[in-house]
Amino acid sequence: MQLVRTILVIVVFYYLIRFLSRVFGPMLIRYAAKKAQEKYQGPYRGNTAYNNGQQRREGEVVIDKASGNTKENRTSSPGKKVGEYIDFEEVD
């Protein structure tokens, strides 16, 4: 009797999961697609030239100065010696 009850619980659980996945599956997929779209569009929303309605002419050069706290500026300063240059020559 216990075996039949266990098999019945497994079958009911299986069909319950199938039913819930059909009901809530499309909503979950839509939510995941929306989040992925927001993630990949995020960097493009920061383009101030198009957000403010200011379009730049073709060939115009604009230099945006970065703050001095970037990792590149901290590790590679012009006066800091990073290593020694060794000139290798090929020997036959």
Side-chain angles (χ1 to χ4, degrees):
M1 187 67 183
Q2 191 71 11
L3 179 65
V4 174
R5 183 177 175 201
T6 304
I7 292 174
L8 184 64
V9 167
I10 291 172
V11 169
V12 167
F13 186 71
Y14 172 74
Y15 281 108
L16 182 68
I17 295 295
R18 281 187 62 190
F19 175 74
L20 291 176
S21 67
R22 286 182 187 241
V23 171
F24 294 113
M27 287 187 283
L28 290 173
I29 291 173
R30 220 174 297 126
Y31 177 76
K34 181 180 169 185
K35 284 295 185 182
Q37 182 180 11
E38 289 174 1
K39 177 183 175 184
Y40 290 113
Q41 282 183 349
Y44 300 110
R45 288 185 183 165
N47 192 353
T48 58
Y50 292 105
N51 288 343
N52 295 335
Q54 304 168 354
Q55 292 186 351
R56 296 188 177 122
R57 295 186 312 228
E58 184 177 342
E60 181 180 357
V61 178
V62 177
I63 299 174
D64 294 329
K65 293 185 180 181
S67 66
N69 290 336
T70 61
K71 185 177 180 182
E72 296 168 347
N73 291 340
R74 282 184 273 148
T75 58
S76 61
S77 60
K80 186 177 180 182
K81 187 173 183 178
V82 177
E84 183 178 337
Y85 177 75
I86 301 173
D87 188 19
F88 291 100
E89 293 183 13
E90 191 173 320
V91 179
D92 291 328

